[in-house]
Amino acid sequence: MQHDRLHQRLESRNRRPVSFADFFRERVQDVLARADVRVQETRAGVRPWDIQVNDSRFYRRALLQGSLGLGESYMDGWWDCERLDELFVRLLRAGLDTAVSDWHRALLSLRTRLFNLQTRSRAFRVGEQHYDLGNELFEQMLDARMIYSCGYWKEAADLDAAQEAKLDLVARKLDLAPGMRVLDIGCGWGGAVAFLAERYGVEAVGLTVSKQQAEHATRRVAGLPVDIRLQDYREIDERFDRVFSIGMFEHVGHRNYATYMDVVRRCLHPDGLFVLHSIGRNDSTTHTDPWIARYIFPNSMLPSIAQIGAVIENRFVMEDWQNFGPDYERTLHAWHDRFEKAELPARYDERFRRMWRYYLMASAAGFRARRLQLWQLVLSPAGRAARYDAPR
């Protein structure tokens, strides 16, 4: 036994000391190997989901800064990957997003627990940072109606058909009739309210926190009985026959869920219906990914079933809950394909393009790995007297 210990000590003295650079490289390689991802510094033998390192500083940044460092180093060109979506599917399925913690995530979690990051004064920040990036980007990336949410691909063959099918699905779930007054919380570029006014003969009010969306939507609905308002949802206090919200609940924040539902309840006729279309996650949290928070959707967070259920209680009767999360992966790939072909102004530089590609493909991976879901809920204030048969 003593001889073995002596041999180990002598062997350790003769071993070459490990530098910090070697330590970070080996640690990153070991972590990614759990997901069958290799890290290489040449193109030789690189699989589509492997990482090719262009700058050795990548290892330290990724290890110490977690998801923020991984995303920023990609934006800076420190590493490449042929199929980012394949890479992230493997990372998520191996649980590496939770296995590697970092201080950015811990700080963001603490902030969301201590402060309300989605107050009225902060409500317009996501509009300014994300939706006001420029209509040129979204016009080329999205469908003809500029619907920036999951399409419904049940019978659709292309993006335009999938988005029209989704809008028609929402309309049928709302059980619309001509002359009804409808509220759209988070109307985007006005595609949904224009569709409902044209196809179903309703009057509508659309709310958005983006100036560029409001301007574009106002032009889109010209001549239709639709009113577009640059307004926070908390400010509206009018009665509507129906209310719907597509892809906006992700910006509300857990501290404001009850307020949000109270606003819908006070605006909805007692016999009305509310359709909530939202991305959801499998577990409850109070914050989003640090990289997403900094570069894509500031002050956002995705709800869980438990969080939504808690604020529905004693406010609404749930008539239906549908999940078609896998359709969002296909939607994101369609957006990505259009984005890569887009002819954009010079202000959308290479760093922006890498950021946007990273965002679209990481999001697609979240849905393919089934970490993210797409929910449509149908809620009524007191429950319908007759059975509600939800359209599919």
Side-chain angles (χ1 to χ4, degrees):
M1 181 67 71
Q2 289 181 347
H3 174 76
D4 290 342
R5 289 175 180 171
L6 177 61
H7 178 74
Q8 291 172 1
R9 285 199 296 270
L10 290 173
E11 190 177 58
S12 65
R13 289 178 184 175
N14 294 327
R15 188 180 301 155
R16 179 178 60 87
V18 178
S19 66
F20 281 116
D22 289 339
F23 169 78
F24 289 125
R25 180 184 292 104
E26 291 175 8
R27 179 59 178 151
V28 169
Q29 289 174 341
D30 289 344
V31 169
L32 294 179
R34 303 179 203 169
D36 188 29
V37 175
R38 300 172 190 158
V39 185
Q40 300 183 193
E41 298 182 5
T42 66
R43 286 296 304 163
V46 175
R47 299 169 298 180
W49 60 86
D50 286 337
I51 289 175
Q52 180 186 348
V53 176
N54 305 319
D55 190 316
S56 61
R57 292 176 293 176
F58 156 77
Y59 300 106
R60 177 186 178 92
R61 194 173 185 181
L63 190 62
L64 296 183
Q65 298 182 8
S67 68
L68 185 62
L70 188 67
E72 288 184 335
S73 60
Y74 180 81
M75 291 165 59
D76 291 337
W78 289 11
W79 62 277
D80 281 298
C81 177
E82 182 181 341
R83 288 292 303 272
L84 285 169
D85 56 326
E86 294 282 359
L87 166 66
F88 285 113
V89 165
R90 283 165 171 77
L91 299 184
L92 291 172
R93 286 177 175 166
L96 297 190
D97 57 318
T98 56
V100 179
S101 59
D102 61 272
W103 67 270
H104 296 283
R105 191 180 299 273
L107 180 61
L108 186 56
S109 178
L110 180 62
R111 287 184 64 211
T112 58
R113 292 179 185 279
L114 295 178
F115 306 104
N116 185 353
L117 301 184
Q118 297 88 8
T119 59
R120 292 192 188 198
S121 62
R122 293 172 176 264
F124 288 82
R125 187 183 168 195
V126 69
E128 295 164 355
Q129 179 173 327
H130 188 85
Y131 299 105
D132 289 345
L133 283 170
N135 289 338
E136 306 100 324
L137 167 66
F138 294 105
E139 284 171 347
Q140 294 191 60
M141 186 183 82
L142 304 179
D143 64 299
R145 290 190 175 87
M146 294 178 69
I147 305 298
Y148 194 24
S149 54
C150 180
Y152 192 52
W153 294 87
K154 183 179 180 181
E155 298 178 356
D158 57 54
L159 182 62
D160 287 271
Q163 293 295 10
E164 181 168 319
K166 187 266 299 297
L167 296 180
D168 190 64
L169 179 67
V170 170
R172 288 182 290 124
K173 287 181 177 181
L174 287 170
D175 193 19
L176 296 177
M180 282 186 173
R181 193 162 187 257
V182 179
L183 172 64
D184 180 358
I185 302 177
C187 67
W189 290 272
V193 283
F195 175 85
L196 297 187
E198 291 168 345
R199 296 288 182 90
Y200 287 87
V202 302
E203 300 177 7
V205 171
L207 308 182
T208 177
V209 293
S210 163
K211 291 181 180 179
Q212 291 203 25
Q213 283 186 339
E215 293 170 359
H216 184 98
T218 298
R219 294 192 297 269
R220 181 183 291 274
V221 303
L224 295 172
V226 177
D227 181 16
I228 302 296
R229 303 177 188 175
L230 186 64
Q231 185 179 38
D232 180 61
Y233 69 92
R234 282 162 284 211
E235 298 172 357
I236 192 162
D237 188 7
E238 304 170 27
R239 276 301 178 101
F240 296 87
D241 300 292
R242 301 289 189 266
V243 178
F244 72 97
S245 182
I246 301 176
M248 179 272 175
F249 196 64
E250 300 89 334
H251 303 299
V252 171
H254 70 108
R255 288 178 174 270
N256 306 298
Y257 285 163
T259 299
Y260 177 94
M261 292 297 176
D262 286 340
V263 169
V264 174
R265 181 71 191 260
R266 82 180 179 217
C267 289
L268 190 60
H269 278 297
D271 60 348
L273 288 172
F274 169 45
V275 170
L276 177 65
H277 172 116
S278 176
I279 299 172
R281 54 182 292 147
N282 299 336
D283 59 327
S284 298
T285 186
T286 59
H287 60 87
T288 190
D289 174 83
W291 185 84
I292 290 289
R294 177 172 294 187
Y295 290 100
I296 307 299
F297 296 118
N299 304 327
S300 63
M301 66 158 286
L302 303 179
S304 68
I305 290 175
Q307 289 168 328
I308 293 177
V311 293
I312 290 174
E313 188 172 330
N314 295 323
R315 289 184 174 90
F316 291 99
V317 172
M318 186 183 71
E319 304 286 358
D320 183 58
W321 192 319
Q322 182 183 8
N323 181 3
F324 51 96
D327 284 23
Y328 220 143
E329 183 199 354
R330 190 169 177 182
T331 303
L332 284 155
H333 275 285
W335 292 344
H336 173 261
D337 291 345
R338 293 188 176 205
F339 170 73
E340 294 294 350
K341 297 174 184 176
E343 297 180 2
L344 298 172
R347 70 175 183 275
Y348 299 102
D349 59 13
E350 180 62 18
R351 193 168 192 267
F352 176 88
R353 285 178 174 273
R354 292 179 70 90
M355 176 189 77
W356 207 255
R357 183 182 304 125
Y358 189 93
Y359 149 59
L360 293 174
M361 290 295 91
S363 299
F367 287 99
R368 192 191 313 173
R370 299 311 305 271
R371 289 292 194 87
L372 302 179
Q373 315 302 328
L374 191 286
W375 297 324
Q376 279 193 357
L377 285 72
V378 181
L379 307 174
S380 63
R384 296 206 129 188
R387 185 182 69 190
Y388 181 84
D389 291 321
R392 291 289 190 270

